[in-house]
Amino acid sequence: MKWQALRPSLDKFDFEGADQLVDFATQHDLKLRGHTLVWHHSLPDWFAEQVTRQNAEQVLVNHIQTVAGHYAGKMQSWDVVNEAIQPKEEKPDGFRNSPWLQLLGQDYVELAFRVAAEADPNAMLLYNDYSLDYDTAEDETKRNAVLRLLERLKSREVPVHALGLQAHLDGQDSRQFNPAQMQRFLREVADLGLKIFVTELDVEDQRLPANIEQRDRIVAAAYEDYLTAVLAEPAVIAVLTWGLSDRYSWLSDVRPRDDGLPIRPLPLDADLQPKLAWNAIARVFDQAAQR
C-alpha cells in the first residue's frame, strides 16, 4: 500500500495487489493494518518531476482521501505518517529532510492525520518510527523528538491515536537495551492518551556467531527481553513481527551476513518451523496482563 505500488502515474491508482490482501484478510476474519499513507521512501518515479510546492498539498490530500477512502471500514489501523523524525539531519524540531518537509513544511504531518481521519473515521491512526529502542544518545535524542511531535499534535487536537514502534532490534546490541528507560518513554507516550503498537518487530543476526544454536538463543533472548519490558505498559495493545518466516525476511536482501550464511531473524525458520524465538514470544504473551 505504499505510493510506488498504488500510483503508476499522477492521475491513476492501481488497487489490484492491495485489494487481494484486503480480500484475504476479510475472508479469514483477520484484522488489517494499512502501511503507509505518507513516507519519504517508495515514492513513484514520477513524483520528483511532477510534484511541486504549488501542487504538493493537493496531491497529498487526494492520495490519502482516495486510498484511505477506498479501504474505509476495512482497516483496523493506518500508519498515517512514517519516519518523519531524523534528528541527525539537523532540521528544526528533529524533522527528517524529506520531500514532504521540503514541499509543505512541518504541517504536512498534521494535514495527513486530519485528512485520514475524515477518509476512514473508524480506523486507529498511528505515527510510526524506528530507532526508539536502545540506551544510546542517538535513540534518546530521537525518542525526545518523537515525543515532542506527539505532544504538539495532541495539543492541536490532531486525530493521532497511537505510536508505532518499528522495533527492528539487533541481537548484537541487546546489551544496550534498558528496560526501565524504555518503560519511562512508553509511559510518557501513554500519558498523552495514546495507545502503542509494536509494528515491525524482528531481530537482526548479521553480526552474531555463525553457530545456529548460539544465534537462535541470542535472538530469542532479545525478543523476550524487549517484549517483557514493553508489554508491562498497558497502553501497548498490538505486537506485529515484520514477517513471519526467515524465508521471506527483508533483511536477506538489505542486510545479509558477511559470511553468506542465511539469516534467522524471525519466529519461524525457512521451513516455516517454530524456533526458540517463537517460544520466547509465546512465553511473554502468556505472562502478560490481559488488555
Side-chain angles (χ1 to χ4, degrees):
M1 295 184 181
K2 298 183 175 76
W3 280 61
Q4 192 172 45
L6 296 178
R7 302 291 299 271
S9 69
L10 176 61
D11 300 319
K12 183 179 179 182
F13 288 82
D14 180 2
F15 291 110
E16 182 179 359
D19 282 351
Q20 292 177 12
L21 297 177
V22 175
D23 291 344
F24 180 88
T26 301
Q27 291 168 14
H28 296 278
D29 195 27
L30 300 172
K31 294 179 181 178
L32 190 66
R33 303 193 64 247
H35 177 82
T36 176
L37 293 174
V38 186
W39 193 28
H40 62 283
H41 274 315
S42 294
L43 293 171
D45 292 338
W46 52 261
F47 186 93
E49 293 184 359
Q50 298 187 47
V51 181
T52 66
R53 291 184 178 179
Q54 287 69 43
N55 69 358
E57 181 172 336
Q58 178 185 1
V59 172
L60 179 62
V61 169
N62 178 56
H63 180 86
I64 297 173
Q65 288 176 335
T66 302
V67 176
H70 182 79
Y71 295 114
K74 298 179 180 180
M75 292 292 173
Q76 185 265 357
S77 55
W78 283 101
D79 289 334
V80 177
V81 177
N82 198 47
E83 302 175 3
I85 297 296
Q86 185 54 282
K88 64 184 179 182
E89 295 187 0
E90 299 182 347
K91 292 296 179 180
D93 299 316
F95 267 71
R96 179 186 296 276
N97 189 26
S98 71
W100 295 114
L101 184 70
Q102 295 166 18
L103 293 166
L104 294 173
Q106 296 182 10
D107 288 345
Y108 83 86
V109 176
E110 178 176 338
L111 175 65
F113 276 98
R114 293 195 185 280
V115 176
E118 292 179 359
D120 193 357
N122 293 320
M124 292 188 68
L125 306 180
L126 278 74
Y127 174 73
N128 192 53
D129 217 325
Y130 66 95
S131 290
L132 302 173
D133 312 294
Y134 287 125
D135 189 4
T136 64
E138 183 174 337
D139 281 18
E140 179 68 6
T141 299
K142 189 163 185 179
R143 280 191 293 271
N144 290 333
V146 167
L147 193 61
R148 289 196 301 271
L149 171 62
L150 296 174
E151 290 171 343
R152 185 162 60 249
L153 294 175
K154 292 295 291 185
S155 72
R156 294 177 60 82
E157 298 184 349
V158 175
V160 54
H161 305 132
L163 170 65
L165 307 171
Q166 292 188 15
H168 293 298
L169 307 179
D170 190 332
Q172 181 68 28
D173 292 338
S174 59
R175 288 170 294 183
Q176 294 181 316
F177 179 63
N178 182 331
Q181 181 187 57
M182 188 64 179
Q183 288 169 347
R184 283 194 299 272
F185 171 65
L186 298 182
R187 177 43 32 196
E188 290 178 305
V189 174
D191 285 344
L192 294 174
L194 297 172
K195 299 299 185 183
I196 300 163
F197 287 41
V198 179
T199 56
E200 306 183 19
L201 178 62
D202 54 14
V203 180
E204 297 183 27
D205 69 341
Q206 283 82 340
R207 296 183 292 160
L208 296 182
N211 180 274
I212 288 178
E213 291 184 0
Q214 279 185 281
R215 262 199 285 163
D216 282 359
R217 284 198 299 272
I218 297 170
V219 167
Y223 273 109
E224 191 157 7
D225 291 346
Y226 184 81
L227 289 176
T228 297
V230 169
L231 288 175
E233 169 53 59
V236 178
I237 61 169
V239 175
L240 297 90
T241 56
W242 201 235
L244 192 59
S245 164
D246 295 334
R247 186 189 303 182
Y248 303 114
S249 171
W250 68 294
L251 295 168
S252 295
D253 296 322
V254 177
R255 295 175 191 160
R257 287 179 61 91
D258 291 339
D259 57 17
L261 292 174
I263 59 169
R264 298 174 63 84
L266 288 167
L268 303 181
D269 67 17
D271 296 319
L272 307 181
Q273 296 303 303
K275 296 157 45 185
L276 293 177
W278 175 280
N279 299 330
I281 294 170
R283 277 195 300 275
V284 180
F285 285 171
D286 287 343
Q287 295 165 8
Q290 295 296 308
R291 62 204 66 190

